[in-house]
Amino acid sequence: MSKTKPFAISMRLVSMAYQKVKSNKGAGGIDGISLEQFDKDYRNHLYRLWNRMSSGSYIPPPVKLTEIPKKGGGLRPLGIPTISDRIAQTIVRGLLEPELELIFHKDSYGYRPGRSAHQALSCARDRCWSRNWVVDMDIQGCFDNIPHDLLMRAVRQHCKTKWMLLYIERWLKVPLQKVNGEIIERTKGVPQGSVIGPLLSNLFLHYCMDKWLEVNYSGCPFERYADDALIHCSSMLEAEEVKQAISTRLSSCGMALHAEKTYVVYCKDSNRRHPGVAKKSFDFLGYTFRPRMAQNSQRGVWFTNWLPAVSRKALSSMNKAMRKWQVFHQTTITLQEVSAFINPILRGWIRYYGKFYKAKLTNYMHIVDVKLATWARRKYKHLRSSEMKAIRWLHSVYLRQPKLFVHWELLGSKPTV
């Protein structure tokens, strides 16, 4: 490392960051350089990046803007930094994250090492059993509206390294570039799709919301996953008070609750009644929480309990994805090849959405069997006359190879007429 450089950045940090970016894969940015192309000349690329960062002359290039469909409809803007910029952000995140993990709240779960959406869901379920009311929060345009001045004030509380502060400020201001070349300047918000963005947004929300709730409403526990949050209260009066208070707090921090997507919800089950409450369910992290039938394991008695299960939006999203699978229209391939294509996707869905109230997902997976039967009718002439014949054929396949499709194996579901 040269002693003439104003900033002491280890070349080893740059190399380690590159390995992380490489393992995460992903597309290239506006410079058109893919990971494969970068890797062919990675030593020169890494040296140039180290040289510029160490001298203070590194200027992040504009972020490539693309739009992806939201589950609830509409488009979500997503920024794609260049490979080099992702490496630079990974270096800073790797140095800053351990410091921030020491102060982050235990009920913040999103984009943190060792924490998961399932942990947040499990905690939310348990708290709904002990507290009757929930404030289901939706922060309007959270990541796009975070004020840079407040965010940097929080960053400076925990980071004193000049070069890290320099580049964090530059990343916050880096413009977006559309496909047509149009440049969009940014004066607020954190870059979505970036490496450093989730850490910075968590830091802002820690002071804007988490810490504030802990101090002012210590009796109202919460779960937050990025900008998706629930606050648990003991009464409707308390829930309405918290809703108004958190709205005022967010406004003072340059943010706003989405008025049409923030609710006070009553967690009704067999033992709790509250007439006249309209909202008796909420969605959180792809699950719908509402009253559902459950069985007491000791007495064998069925009762109504407040439980999460895969949401209607998530099921609709899965169905939309399946309709795009061309594999169900390819009659020249084998059933094993169909299995090889759809199993990794089904496995991901089942591992996430089958964690709680698995019966809901098990019932839904009948749609997969219907699509497999339709594929079989296209492929085999003797099955074309009847859907029932195709289902029976698929059932015979299940009896011979019960692990051929992961929903048969992991959910214990089987093709039925």
Side-chain angles (χ1 to χ4, degrees):
M1 179 164 33
S2 172
K3 294 181 179 180
T4 62
K5 300 293 184 185
F7 299 133
I9 302 173
S10 165
M11 187 63 193
R12 180 171 173 270
L13 282 178
V14 179
S15 298
M16 290 171 62
Y18 169 55
Q19 292 305 319
K20 286 186 179 179
V21 170
K22 186 178 178 181
S23 65
N24 289 334
K25 300 181 180 180
I30 61 164
D31 60 2
I33 299 176
S34 66
L35 267 170
E36 293 76 13
Q37 292 169 318
F38 190 98
D39 193 53
K40 291 177 182 177
D41 192 27
Y42 77 93
R43 286 186 176 87
N44 285 327
H45 285 302
L46 296 185
Y47 177 79
R48 282 194 292 269
L49 177 62
W50 168 80
N51 189 43
R52 290 170 183 169
M53 292 187 73
S54 299
S55 65
S57 64
Y58 177 69
I59 305 295
V63 174
K64 181 180 178 181
L65 179 63
T66 185
E67 294 180 317
I68 58 174
K70 291 183 180 180
K71 287 184 178 179
L75 296 173
R76 183 189 306 280
L78 183 67
I80 305 176
T82 63
I83 306 300
S84 290
D85 199 39
R86 293 214 290 274
I87 295 168
Q89 292 185 36
T90 301
I91 295 168
V92 175
R93 176 168 182 160
L95 294 171
L96 185 59
E97 189 170 57
E99 171 75 19
L100 298 185
E101 277 297 312
L102 297 175
I103 62 107
F104 280 164
H105 198 280
K106 64 181 178 64
D107 285 315
S108 166
Y109 294 91
Y111 308 111
R112 293 183 59 191
R115 290 172 177 265
S116 70
H118 284 157
Q119 290 174 331
L121 287 160
S122 179
C123 193
R125 178 196 59 183
D126 294 348
R127 286 173 174 165
C128 284
W129 293 341
S130 61
R131 287 173 173 81
N132 293 359
W133 299 87
V134 164
V135 180
D136 177 18
M137 286 179 56
D138 187 285
I139 304 176
Q140 193 165 11
C142 178
F143 303 117
D144 294 328
N145 292 308
I146 292 176
H148 289 173
D149 57 341
L150 292 181
L151 174 57
M152 286 308 301
R153 187 190 303 177
V155 172
R156 291 188 188 98
Q157 281 285 111
H158 304 281
C159 177
K160 307 301 181 185
T161 307
K162 289 184 179 180
W163 67 267
M164 290 171 63
L165 293 171
L166 173 68
Y167 294 131
I168 288 172
E169 285 193 282
R170 288 180 181 176
W171 282 317
L172 290 178
K173 296 175 182 177
V174 70
L176 301 171
Q177 182 172 317
K178 291 185 175 181
V179 178
N180 62 6
E182 179 186 350
I183 296 293
I184 303 173
E185 300 296 333
R186 299 174 62 252
T187 57
K188 59 182 179 179
V190 296
Q192 294 190 55
S194 67
V195 175
I196 198 73
L199 182 65
L200 296 178
S201 60
N202 265 338
L203 177 61
F204 178 81
L205 289 172
H206 170 77
Y207 284 110
C208 175
M209 175 185 161
D210 303 356
K211 192 70 176 176
W212 184 87
L213 279 172
E214 185 179 53
V215 171
N216 294 278
Y217 290 94
S218 58
C220 299
F222 66 91
E223 301 84 32
R224 182 176 65 79
Y225 193 98
D227 62 334
D228 204 352
L230 306 172
I231 307 172
H232 302 268
C233 304
S234 298
S235 69
M236 182 169 66
L237 187 64
E238 184 178 55
E240 293 289 357
E241 179 188 335
V242 170
K243 178 185 173 185
Q244 182 57 49
I246 193 68
S247 178
T248 302
R249 169 62 179 175
L250 289 173
S251 295
S252 71
C253 297
M255 310 294 286
L257 279 183
H258 198 302
E260 297 178 357
K261 296 181 179 180
T262 298
Y263 308 98
V264 169
V265 184
Y266 180 59
C267 306
K268 174 182 176 293
D269 60 25
S270 294
N271 300 315
R272 296 180 286 190
R273 295 285 188 272
H274 197 286
V277 180
K279 192 68 177 172
K280 297 176 183 176
S281 69
F282 62 82
D283 282 7
F284 184 54
L285 302 178
Y287 279 78
T288 296
F289 286 68
R290 68 171 181 80
R292 302 180 192 277
M293 292 303 296
Q295 189 175 30
N296 185 296
S297 58
Q298 295 179 340
R299 294 182 295 170
V301 178
W302 287 89
F303 66 104
T304 306
N305 200 0
W306 185 265
L307 295 169
V310 56
S311 70
R312 183 177 297 177
K313 284 184 180 179
L315 293 175
S316 176
S317 178
M318 283 186 261
N319 203 27
K320 186 177 180 180
M322 282 192 280
R323 286 199 295 269
K324 295 180 180 179
W325 290 351
Q326 292 300 313
V327 69
F328 288 133
H329 300 277
Q330 297 172 1
T331 57
T332 58
I333 63 175
T334 66
L335 190 60
Q336 284 71 24
E337 289 174 307
V338 175
S339 169
F341 176 83
I342 72 172
N343 272 350
I345 304 171
L346 294 180
R347 185 177 289 108
W349 290 347
I350 293 168
R351 285 178 176 172
Y352 186 78
Y353 294 112
K355 182 72 173 179
F356 304 97
Y357 211 80
K358 191 181 290 185
K360 178 82 172 178
L361 189 62
T362 302
N363 293 337
Y364 172 79
M365 283 296 162
H366 176 66
I367 292 177
V368 179
D369 293 328
V370 170
K371 291 183 181 296
L372 288 170
T374 302
W375 172 85
R377 291 178 69 189
R378 290 192 182 105
K379 183 175 178 66
Y380 302 113
K381 289 183 180 180
H382 69 284
L383 299 177
R384 289 177 187 170
S385 62
S386 168
E387 182 179 358
M388 189 173 294
K389 275 186 180 181
I391 290 290
R392 286 173 179 162
W393 170 85
L394 194 61
H395 183 76
S396 70
V397 173
Y398 163 79
L399 293 176
R400 296 192 306 271
Q401 298 175 273
K403 295 183 178 182
L404 181 59
F405 290 96
V406 295
H407 65 294
W408 295 350
E409 178 186 6
L410 299 181
L411 293 176
S413 63
K414 57 184 179 180
T416 55
V417 178

